[in-house]
Amino acid sequence: METLRVRLPEIPPSSYPVHFCAGPGAIASRIVAISRGAQLFLVTDRSVYRHHGMVMQRMLLRSGVTFRAIVLPGGERTKNRRSKESLEDLLIRSGAERSSVVAAFGGGVIGDLVGFTAATLFRGVRLIHIPTTLLSQVDSAVGGKVGIDHPMGKNLLGAFHHPEAVLIDPGFLRTLPEREYLQGMAEVIKYGLILDRRLFLRLKSSVRAIRSRNRTTLLPVIARCCALKGRVVAADERESGYRRILNFGHTVGHALEQASHYVIPHGMAVSIGMAAEAGISLGLGMITPADLADLLGLLGAYGLPVSVPRGIPRAAILRALSFDKKKSGGVVRFTLPRGIGRGVTGVEVPPEILSGVLGR
């Protein structure tokens, strides 16, 4: 019998906009244009709803959008299979259809959970990201990676599902607690260290303005991070190679989150992970002591931690690393800096260097 080949149509190149909006009214106007009359589900968490939910609903009603608001618990512990199943049930019982639009209105946890649900509901419904934290505005809302945690590791279940648009309003950042705001700076610093030396230097010279959330200073920083992320995603959408450059700090960071049972939040874990992985880079001769001091100094200037807290066993971190979703052939490979503004992927780290850095 001859071999049959199923030919698939070529998927044309596509793109989606990242709109910078001045207030919920501008966001509502964008949603009107994107949804084009389809039913909208606005999914958020309790904290975001308390600060911004009523205003956002009022703006949507004024714009004539038909929508239903769904409010979930917040925090990393919400990002699990049970929450996804509950959200699916709510959407289906509420009359969601394949033509519906689901808007993730919140930080990275809501974006990941809602995005993954949108990816699998009816084999994919339309998605809008409305990120409300610095971390989600500069990183997780752009790029199409969505997912949930598994008891054996962070983000082990997920998909690639790009939004119709990302709607960013830096005004949301005014209500963030200081610690949560600064978590986002870990991702911003990551971009500077591995991709953009000029951004790294800007972060050094603008600490006071950025920490005070000065919109004039902050907006170009957010836009630059989105542009860098977009460039990486365009080069490697499915993380088969170059996109792994964005994993700097996340390999150790994710393991630390899991080892702490998610008591250590993502941004803080990434900060510690960057410090540890830069220490590995120093041990491999890829950066200088001055480079490491530069990074540690910048993390400290933004109030970010650089060492593993006491009470978290090194063995638990190493065990969590063994389940890292990015390992290949049983080996965990790291993204590491090679000087300020340049990173390299796929670095195998000798166990003695890894254990030595984590054991400090």
Side-chain angles (χ1 to χ4, degrees):
M1 186 181 219
E2 287 185 358
T3 300
L4 300 177
R5 185 175 297 276
V6 177
R7 298 195 180 276
L8 301 176
E10 298 236 347
I11 300 174
S14 61
S15 64
Y16 54 88
V18 177
H19 294 295
F20 291 90
C21 305
I27 289 175
S29 296
R30 292 289 184 184
I31 289 173
V32 170
I34 295 164
S35 61
R36 300 187 294 276
Q39 184 181 26
L40 173 75
F41 292 89
L42 183 73
V43 187
T44 187
D45 66 33
R46 291 168 184 164
S47 177
V48 173
Y49 187 81
R50 184 172 65 252
H51 288 294
H52 308 292
M54 296 305 294
V55 174
M56 181 60 71
Q57 288 187 93
R58 189 162 60 248
M59 293 298 104
L60 289 171
L61 287 170
R62 285 183 183 176
S63 300
V65 178
T66 301
F67 72 95
R68 169 165 179 180
I70 297 175
V71 183
L72 305 176
E76 189 72 29
R77 294 182 182 183
T78 300
K79 215 174 87 171
N80 55 45
R81 288 178 289 188
R82 185 179 301 135
S83 296
K84 181 174 184 287
E85 184 178 322
S86 297
L87 179 56
E88 289 164 346
D89 291 347
L90 273 170
L91 289 167
I92 292 170
R93 284 200 300 264
S94 300
E97 301 174 347
R98 198 166 193 179
S99 61
S100 299
V101 178
V102 179
F105 182 34
V109 168
I110 286 294
D112 279 354
L113 171 62
V114 175
F116 188 27
T117 304
T120 58
L121 186 67
F122 308 129
R123 296 191 176 92
V125 298
R126 295 157 64 197
L127 172 68
I128 298 172
H129 278 303
I130 311 170
T132 59
T133 64
L134 181 59
L135 193 152
S136 58
Q137 289 184 358
V138 301
D139 188 68
S140 61
V142 177
K145 285 172 68 173
V146 293
I148 56 176
D149 300 332
H150 184 277
M152 297 180 72
K154 184 177 170 69
N155 292 333
L156 293 186
L157 306 174
F160 290 90
H161 188 62
H162 291 285
E164 297 265 316
V166 181
L167 309 179
I168 294 177
D169 178 11
F172 289 133
L173 304 180
R174 289 195 297 268
T175 61
L176 281 182
E178 179 75 356
R179 186 167 183 249
E180 190 167 353
Y181 173 72
L182 292 177
Q183 281 193 68
M185 286 308 303
E187 294 286 356
V188 177
I189 292 169
K190 176 196 77 175
Y191 283 113
L193 187 65
I194 60 167
L195 288 172
D196 191 340
R197 180 180 176 86
R198 289 179 63 184
L199 175 60
F200 189 90
L201 295 176
R202 177 188 290 184
L203 299 177
K204 286 181 67 175
S205 65
S206 305
V207 173
R208 180 176 296 180
I210 291 174
R211 290 200 64 164
S212 67
R213 313 185 199 192
N214 178 280
R215 183 185 177 95
T216 302
T217 305
L218 195 55
L219 190 56
V221 170
I222 296 172
R224 181 58 179 162
C225 291
C226 290
L228 290 168
K229 178 77 175 279
R231 185 184 304 169
V232 170
V233 171
D236 177 22
E237 179 193 2
R238 297 280 169 156
E239 201 174 10
S240 58
Y242 181 58
R243 186 166 177 169
R244 295 172 189 162
I245 198 75
L246 300 174
N247 290 333
F248 173 59
H250 287 63
T251 303
V252 170
H254 284 171
L256 182 57
E257 285 182 83
Q258 187 185 356
S260 74
H261 303 288
Y262 300 104
V263 171
I264 299 177
H266 179 70
M268 300 300 176
V270 167
S271 177
I272 297 168
M274 285 194 292
E277 292 175 24
I280 293 170
S281 195
L282 177 66
L284 294 173
M286 296 170 62
I287 62 172
T288 67
D291 292 332
L292 179 59
D294 228 7
L295 171 62
L296 297 181
L298 188 58
L299 291 171
Y302 284 99
L304 292 165
V306 297
S307 59
V308 177
R310 291 184 179 182
I312 300 179
R314 181 183 67 185
I317 301 173
L318 292 172
R319 185 167 55 251
L321 278 171
S322 71
F323 291 105
D324 188 276
K325 70 180 187 298
K326 299 178 291 298
K327 71 179 179 181
S328 176
V331 177
V332 178
R333 292 176 171 82
F334 286 78
T335 294
L336 298 175
R338 190 184 291 278
I340 304 296
R342 182 185 170 206
V344 293
T345 64
V347 181
E348 292 189 34
V349 178
E352 62 273 15
I353 291 181
L354 180 59
S355 298
V357 168
L358 291 178
R360 289 189 305 197

